[in-house]
Amino acid sequence: MLEEWIVYGVVICATIYATWRLLPGVLRDALAERCANLAQRLGLASANARSPAQGASRRASGGCGACTGCATRNAPGNVMIIKDLRKESHVDAR
């Protein structure tokens, strides 16, 4: 009997996880924000806790992190595409 309850619990957890991962991002963010608000009202989270979407939108550097790597990175140089000469008779340079 205990083994059945353990299996039921694992199946329920797996179902909840799969459902969460397959939800569209907007809906997932809205649900996470509601859960965070509920946790704050119940006293389970601090008042300054933010959802990942809120934190990303308030950061000046964007959603990927606090570094400035992308802003200071140089654009890539010229790209040369070499085509097979047996199929085409020229080399295309961009």
Side-chain angles (χ1 to χ4, degrees):
M1 182 71 174
L2 178 63
E3 291 87 9
E4 289 178 4
W5 286 105
I6 292 172
V7 171
Y8 292 146
V10 169
V11 169
I12 289 171
C13 290
T15 304
I16 291 170
Y17 175 76
T19 304
W20 180 258
R21 293 294 294 170
L22 293 174
L23 280 175
V26 174
L27 185 58
R28 196 175 351 167
D29 289 341
L31 286 173
E33 196 167 326
R34 286 185 184 226
C35 288
N37 289 340
L38 179 64
Q40 287 174 1
R41 279 190 235 133
L42 295 175
L44 301 174
S46 61
N48 61 357
R50 290 188 224 150
S51 70
Q54 289 174 334
S57 66
R58 292 183 182 162
R59 267 189 246 129
S61 63
C64 64
C67 73
T68 59
C70 296
T72 59
R73 184 177 299 159
N74 293 332
N78 292 337
V79 176
M80 181 180 285
I81 299 174
I82 301 173
K83 296 184 179 181
D84 190 3
L85 294 176
R86 290 172 282 183
K87 295 179 183 176
E88 306 248 352
S89 62
H90 66 280
V91 175
D92 186 19
R94 290 186 185 177

